[in-house]
Amino acid sequence: NAGVTQTPKFQVLKTGQSMTLQCAQDMNHNSMYWYRQDPGMGLRLIYYSASEGTTDKGEVPNGYNVSRLNKREFSLRLESAAPSQTSVYFCASSRLAGVTQYFGPGTRLTVL
Amino acid sequence: AQKVTQAQTEISVVEKEDVTLDCVYETRDTTYYLFWYKQPPSGELVFLIRRNSFDEQNEISGRYSWNFQKSTSSFNFTITASQVVDSAVYFCALSEGDNAGGTSYGKLTFGQGTILTVHP
């Protein structure tokens, strides 16, 4: 099992460009999450999907959109990237909401 | 709102020393879950432990041990006989239970992390 996979691993964007971060899990988990990690601030939840077909905002949703494509895949889209979105992005999944979350390797995004 | 505080920003020890990482949390919920994750220099987040709010038994796993005390809202993590490979950022996190009205159920709130450096 690969667990949680994320693509790409690294990305550099110019201000105003758009991109989609992809996340997939092969653990048959119901819940999936997107976090961002900034220095000194721990991880903060952007969006989550408690189950297939549902998505909800987290702590810092502004500037992002998500799609729960199917049970396995949960994508994060930046429509118009800003330098403030420079961060490391982690996707996570859990069997159910509330139980242990398992994380992907992260995507390091730089917005110039 | 829930909150997790890891007051120790950085800790530096010499190999074989014991080290304790502190975690204090705030929540209004009566059912909640506490976690510790490790982030080594390679960057991935590794799950270490999960505790339920109604289970205050301390846990030991090899050189790792956890002390959960509801009376002080603390969930501290001790590494015994530290090793260089323990060098990492350690995060404490809190998730509310399903009687929180569904608005925050399952969402993890992380502390700021503690950078542990173990010198040879």
Side-chain angles (χ1 to χ4, degrees):
Chain A
N1 283 353
V4 180
T5 57
Q6 293 182 235
T7 55
K9 286 188 169 51
F10 301 92
Q11 184 70 49
V12 179
L13 293 177
K14 294 180 180 178
T15 297
Q17 288 185 319
S18 62
M19 80 160 294
T20 299
L21 280 63
Q22 306 286 353
C23 174
Q25 52 89 10
D26 63 2
M27 297 177 281
N28 201 34
H29 284 172
N30 290 294
S31 303
M32 298 185 73
Y33 312 81
W34 276 106
Y35 294 87
R36 60 178 288 173
Q37 182 179 21
D38 301 300
M41 299 189 73
L43 279 80
R44 293 180 293 167
L45 183 66
I46 305 171
Y47 270 94
Y48 71 106
S49 172
S51 61
E52 188 178 357
T54 68
T55 59
D56 282 289
K57 295 178 181 179
E59 183 184 352
V60 288
N62 290 346
Y64 305 96
N65 285 302
V66 290
S67 295
R68 184 74 183 266
L69 304 170
N70 48 55
K71 189 173 185 179
R72 289 187 64 248
E73 299 172 287
F74 188 38
S75 63
L76 178 72
R77 183 162 179 83
L78 287 71
E79 291 291 350
S80 179
S84 60
Q85 294 178 305
T86 293
S87 189
V88 180
Y89 291 85
F90 287 96
C91 177
S93 72
S94 62
R95 183 172 53 84
L96 296 170
V99 301
T100 302
Q101 294 181 24
Y102 295 92
F103 286 79
T107 294
R108 187 173 294 273
L109 175 66
T110 301
V111 183
L112 303 175
Chain B
Q2 50 192 10
K3 183 179 178 182
V4 176
T5 302
Q6 295 179 254
Q8 305 151 308
T9 305
E10 292 191 52
I11 299 176
S12 181
V13 299
V14 177
E15 214 170 13
K16 298 184 183 176
E17 283 186 32
D18 297 347
V19 57
T20 295
L21 309 181
D22 297 332
C23 173
V24 174
Y25 62 92
E26 296 176 28
T27 179
R28 289 178 290 185
D29 203 7
T30 55
T31 301
Y32 51 89
Y33 307 91
L34 294 162
F35 303 81
W36 276 95
Y37 285 87
K38 173 183 179 179
Q39 187 174 41
S42 53
E44 74 273 24
L45 279 153
V46 179
F47 164 71
L48 295 177
I49 191 170
R50 170 181 182 255
R51 301 297 288 175
N52 303 325
S53 55
F54 42 87
D55 182 3
E56 286 191 74
Q57 281 191 337
N58 291 334
E59 176 115 2
I60 298 174
S61 176
R63 295 184 297 106
Y64 296 171
S65 62
W66 291 268
N67 185 324
F68 175 31
Q69 291 194 341
K70 287 180 75 170
S71 60
T72 56
S73 297
S74 65
F75 185 41
N76 297 336
F77 172 32
T78 297
I79 302 174
T80 302
S82 60
Q83 300 176 2
V84 172
V85 293
D86 295 327
S87 296
V89 183
Y90 290 87
F91 290 98
C92 181
L94 168 69
S95 172
E96 291 185 348
D98 61 1
N99 57 346
T103 57
S104 58
Y105 180 45
K107 296 189 290 187
L108 280 175
T109 298
F110 283 82
Q112 299 93 323
T114 297
I115 302 170
L116 174 64
T117 303
V118 182
H119 298 281

